[in-house]
Amino acid sequence: MTNLKFATRLNSFASRPQAEWPDLSGKPSVAQMVARAAKVEGLTDLDLNYPDHVSEDPRELARKIGDLGLAINGFAMRYYTNPAFKIGAFTNPDPAVRREAIDLTKKGIDAARAAGSNLMTIWLGQDGFDYAFQADYATLWQHEIDGIREVCEHDADCLISIEYKPNEPRSYSLMPDCATTLLAIKDVNMPNLGVTLDFAHVLYADEQPAFAAALIARYSRVLGVHLNDGYAKRDDGLMVGAVHTQQTIELLRQIRKDGYDGAIYFDTFPDMTGLDPVHECEVNIQTVKRMLNVVDRIEKDNRLSGAIDRQDAVSAQAVIQELMLGA
């Protein structure tokens, strides 16, 4: 993880708007949120939702963001433009709607490339089902695979990253967990396809984040890391390390070991409870830097590696607590 980059969710900066824009009526604009994000010390990048955040020429948008000292890490697809997407984007029963979703994704890829990025994250939350006997599962799966493959083929130089989540908005998502996502990647069989690990989604899927990262590195590759936290009941979007400190450190150690060199992206929700988004993001950055310092200490301490080799949980806990909290 050389040349460490920190990216964040742009919509976070709509939080507590009266503190930043006392005279604002309505929602802040993309330009206003970008300008507020640029105040965060240590932030290097933004991720933009497509098409929500891209109402102008992507090149001009990238230039404006660059003038504020930030870069675009990647784009993330959002399938809200057509109400029909509620029962499926790539898996919609109507072939015309499936075509619209795929073509919208291609336009998003083109926009990302025009903005100077080569990363498109696809979260297919609408692709799934809610009831028994609602859908033919083999047909849903084939539509999903065909759609993902087509968008991967659209631009071989653009990385396409699947962000999985157990449910929401659908009761059951077709991409609910690490293993199912890896099966889809195997079926699609495209070299520019990989996985975005969202920490809260992984917890929600009852997975251990570092184990998921290790499996993805073995069978595919991690293209994005979304850090946040939660209580594993839903997508809480809490600050980094607020609940699962050890698991976050273990994930950072694992992705460093596996050679991840992308941005650390904060998918947290300060806007849900009106937190100061600039301060919240700065604390997240400081937290990750401290955690990476712990990872450095771990790598220099043979006691922990020895305990792990023996699967000696008690000794491992003794060492990690000392490295985290002091002797």
Side-chain angles (χ1 to χ4, degrees):
M1 296 170 68
T2 56
N3 301 318
L4 192 61
K5 297 189 299 180
F6 291 109
T8 194
R9 168 181 174 262
L10 183 58
N11 286 347
S12 293
F13 295 89
S15 180
R16 200 189 292 179
Q18 69 280 359
E20 185 74 10
W21 308 285
D23 301 323
L24 180 69
S25 59
K27 296 180 179 180
S29 67
V30 170
Q32 287 173 314
M33 290 189 291
V34 169
R36 197 180 191 189
K39 295 180 178 182
V40 176
E41 184 176 352
L43 188 68
T44 63
D45 290 70
L46 291 172
D47 277 39
L48 303 179
N49 293 346
Y50 187 88
D52 312 33
H53 296 148
V54 190
S55 58
E56 60 180 302
D57 185 318
R59 296 170 184 82
E60 182 65 13
L61 181 59
R63 184 193 65 77
K64 291 177 181 177
I65 291 172
D67 287 346
L68 290 169
L70 296 172
I72 296 175
N73 173 55
F75 278 23
M77 286 302 305
R78 292 294 182 264
Y79 300 99
Y80 303 137
T81 54
N82 184 342
F85 289 156
K86 289 183 177 180
I87 61 164
F90 292 1
T91 63
N92 197 283
D94 185 341
V97 177
R98 293 200 301 274
R99 173 49 46 199
E100 182 179 346
I102 291 169
D103 289 346
L104 179 66
T105 308
K106 291 179 179 180
K107 289 178 183 177
I109 291 168
D110 292 342
R113 300 285 281 153
S117 174
N118 72 332
L119 175 65
M120 172 59 81
T121 302
I122 54 174
W123 166 57
L124 298 162
Q126 291 82 1
D127 290 356
F129 51 93
D130 307 296
Y131 297 93
F133 298 104
Q134 182 175 8
D136 181 89
Y137 304 120
T139 299
L140 284 185
W141 185 260
Q142 192 61 55
H143 286 330
E144 193 82 293
I145 297 305
D146 291 343
I148 295 170
R149 183 182 295 116
E150 184 171 342
V151 300
C152 287
E153 289 173 340
H154 178 67
D155 185 342
D157 293 324
C158 186
L159 300 173
I160 308 299
S161 193
I162 301 173
E163 179 181 354
Y164 65 84
K165 186 178 181 181
N167 54 49
E168 193 189 29
R170 303 308 296 270
S171 298
Y172 285 88
S173 171
L174 274 190
M175 297 291 142
D177 52 33
C178 176
T180 309
T181 304
L182 289 173
L183 283 173
I185 289 172
K186 182 177 184 294
D187 270 6
V188 173
N189 192 29
M190 291 294 295
N192 57 330
L193 185 59
V195 183
T196 289
L197 271 177
D198 181 292
F199 193 86
H201 295 184
V202 174
L203 296 175
Y204 194 12
D206 198 25
E207 296 174 341
Q208 187 79 334
F211 180 38
L215 285 176
I216 293 164
R218 182 181 180 93
Y219 293 103
S220 177
R221 54 178 166 164
V222 175
L223 295 179
V225 174
H226 291 186
L227 289 189
N228 44 37
D229 213 331
Y231 295 98
K233 299 176 183 178
R234 61 174 187 170
D235 189 11
D236 291 320
L238 301 183
M239 294 173 68
V240 177
V243 185
H244 295 85
T245 302
Q246 281 198 24
Q247 289 87 345
T248 308
I249 293 171
E250 186 184 35
L251 173 63
L252 289 170
R253 177 177 180 263
Q254 185 67 47
I255 61 173
R256 174 184 279 184
K257 178 180 177 182
D258 294 332
Y260 177 72
D261 61 357
I264 298 296
Y265 170 89
F266 302 115
D267 197 357
T268 56
F269 307 152
D271 45 321
M272 292 296 288
T273 51
L275 305 180
D276 176 347
V278 173
H279 190 204
E280 190 256 10
C281 192
E282 287 176 341
V283 172
N284 284 329
I285 291 171
Q286 293 160 7
T287 297
V288 172
K289 287 181 175 179
R290 292 189 186 101
M291 288 179 166
L292 288 170
N293 287 335
V294 174
V295 174
D296 288 338
R297 294 197 290 273
I298 288 171
E299 299 307 325
K300 295 174 184 176
D301 197 315
N302 291 332
R303 294 176 301 162
L304 185 58
S305 60
I308 290 172
D309 288 343
R310 299 189 305 273
Q311 297 184 29
D312 180 350
V314 174
S315 296
Q317 281 297 304
V319 175
I320 195 66
Q321 296 288 358
E322 177 187 324
L323 294 176
M324 285 171 54
L325 304 175

